[in-house]
Amino acid sequence: MKLDGFGIFVEDMPAMVRFYRDVLGFEIKEEENASNVYLLKDGTLFLLFRRSDFEKMAKRSFAYADGINGHYEIAMSVENYAAVDYSFKRIVSKGAAPVLEPATQPWGQRTCYVADPEGNLIEIGSFVK
């Protein structure tokens, strides 16, 4: 098997598409309000699937985390420490919820965390001073 991409199940498709497209710069492949939206970032497929539509397809309901949650993260890298700080400020100013301000970790990575409109964690980091 080959990893083709990854996806998340979303409640508010238009808000999530706008966030990933307009704030994080993902390339959108579908309409903003489709059931199944394909985004592309650096050659990686990122799928947003409307929760209610997936549940209809699967003929069952699922449990979902509410609020800012730590079930997983989407990791994004930038060129250097200064870019981590800049990206954090820029993304928060565009509506991302701040979770962890930029800090240099003991393992040498400068990292920060924000949350998307549905509370999924996004890490932005760099190992380059």
Side-chain angles (χ1 to χ4, degrees):
M1 285 186 280
K2 175 185 164 196
L3 179 63
D4 194 32
F6 66 97
I8 59 175
F9 297 98
V10 305
E11 189 169 351
D12 185 347
M13 184 66 77
M16 293 292 278
V17 167
R18 285 190 299 272
F19 179 82
Y20 282 94
R21 181 191 62 209
D22 302 339
V23 176
L24 294 183
F26 284 45
E27 178 185 338
I28 187 168
K29 294 290 190 182
E30 307 291 335
E31 291 298 319
E32 191 172 284
N33 204 20
S35 293
N36 201 2
V37 173
Y38 291 86
L39 301 159
L40 202 57
K41 181 69 172 171
D42 303 318
T44 299
L45 173 65
F46 180 60
L47 172 70
L48 302 176
F49 206 136
R50 189 186 315 275
R51 292 175 183 177
S52 59
D53 293 337
F54 181 73
E55 288 179 347
K56 285 178 193 170
M57 185 177 79
K59 295 182 174 105
R60 61 176 288 188
S61 61
F62 296 89
Y64 301 100
D66 288 324
I68 295 177
N69 64 79
H71 288 272
Y72 67 89
E73 72 173 53
I74 297 167
M76 315 251 326
S77 64
V78 292
E79 56 274 5
N80 55 41
Y81 284 13
V84 171
D85 296 4
Y86 171 77
S87 296
F88 179 82
K89 288 177 188 169
R90 182 182 62 79
I91 291 168
V92 167
S93 76
K94 290 185 170 195
V99 174
L100 174 67
E101 295 215 8
T104 304
Q105 303 302 325
W107 53 87
Q109 180 187 32
R110 185 152 181 87
T111 190
C112 63
Y113 281 83
V114 297
D116 72 17
E118 294 191 4
N120 303 297
L121 294 179
I122 300 159
E123 177 188 21
I124 303 160
S126 180
F127 285 94
V128 179
K129 291 183 182 181

